[in-house]
Amino acid sequence: MFLFNSLGVAFVEAPTENNEREVLYFLTSNQLYSPESLYNNFKESLSLFPRQLRAGSNLSAYKIDCDFMMDHLYAQPKHLNFLFLTVLRELSSAQLIFHIHKFPTEERIDCMLRVIASASGEHEGESVLLPSAINQSVLASLCGLSQSAISIHLKKLVKEGLLASTHTPLRILEPNFLAHS
């Protein structure tokens, strides 16, 4: 199990039929990731869904032995709250991304921008700067859309004055527009 401790971004990816990488979701500061299921009976199923972890920016990751972590939690119950909140946040994020894929194209992109801005955006005055690792290709993969669909919508957001440009790092000039999409 890995704990990420930085302002960086990591991507959990799966290979596609064309041997390309599809971004399933992203990890930010103080999130846990395990390449294996904690449940023994699911380990066989994981081979059907290979995935890999890729750093999208500079970050620190700490490998924690699962048994050590469980022993530590018994000795320090106050850390159990952190673990539960972290796991719930990850499950909620995964469910949210799954449900975002059901939205129409433009709403899907706006919602994904909202999730990314909330999880890892850096507030600079009135705007929000997304991590430079979040480019059009990654956004397309996260949204389950083509890169051209992302490009078209981002150009529309730039024209409307809601986004600074279509180039990374993406800067959302009017973060409140995301709350209304």
Side-chain angles (χ1 to χ4, degrees):
M1 183 169 295
F2 296 93
L3 171 67
F4 294 92
N5 187 19
S6 75
L7 296 177
V9 177
F11 301 111
V12 177
E13 301 174 325
T16 65
E17 293 175 0
N18 302 338
N19 260 350
E20 296 174 2
R21 297 181 301 197
E22 177 183 0
V23 178
L24 302 175
Y25 58 96
F26 62 98
L27 300 168
T28 59
S29 182
N30 291 325
Q31 284 191 276
L32 296 170
Y33 170 75
S34 178
E36 295 183 357
S37 173
L38 295 176
Y39 305 103
N40 288 333
N41 54 339
F42 287 117
K43 287 184 180 179
E44 291 176 12
S45 300
L46 286 173
S47 65
L48 300 173
F49 306 102
R51 59 192 193 277
Q52 66 181 20
L53 189 65
R54 177 176 61 91
S57 62
N58 290 333
L59 55 86
S60 299
Y62 301 96
K63 185 174 182 179
I64 304 169
D65 179 73
C66 204
D67 291 332
F68 171 81
M69 186 176 74
M70 294 308 290
D71 289 344
H72 186 70
L73 291 175
Y74 287 125
Q76 297 288 329
K78 64 183 179 182
H79 297 296
L80 192 57
N81 185 48
F82 166 76
L83 179 65
F84 282 137
L85 290 177
T86 301
V87 170
L88 285 175
R89 183 173 78 175
E90 288 176 36
L91 288 173
S92 296
S93 295
Q95 282 184 327
L96 180 61
I97 289 173
F98 173 76
H99 289 293
I100 286 173
H101 282 222
K102 296 179 181 179
F103 293 151
T105 300
E106 290 187 359
E107 189 177 351
R108 189 182 312 184
I109 297 167
D110 291 347
C111 286
M112 191 59 70
L113 287 171
R114 181 185 321 139
V115 168
I116 296 167
S118 174
S120 61
E122 187 177 318
H123 291 270
E124 294 183 348
E126 296 292 318
S127 66
V128 176
L129 185 66
L130 300 186
S132 59
I134 306 294
N135 57 31
Q136 289 187 22
S137 176
V138 168
L139 193 56
S141 190
L142 283 169
C143 291
L145 296 168
S146 68
Q147 193 166 338
S148 62
I150 298 295
S151 179
I152 290 168
H153 187 63
L154 293 183
K155 286 176 183 175
K156 178 183 174 191
L157 294 176
V158 169
K159 187 175 180 180
E160 293 172 358
L162 302 172
L163 200 63
S165 77
T166 59
H167 304 290
T168 57
L170 296 173
R171 179 181 301 278
I172 300 170
L173 299 174
E174 296 285 337
N176 292 336
F177 97 91
L178 295 173
H180 301 100
S181 57

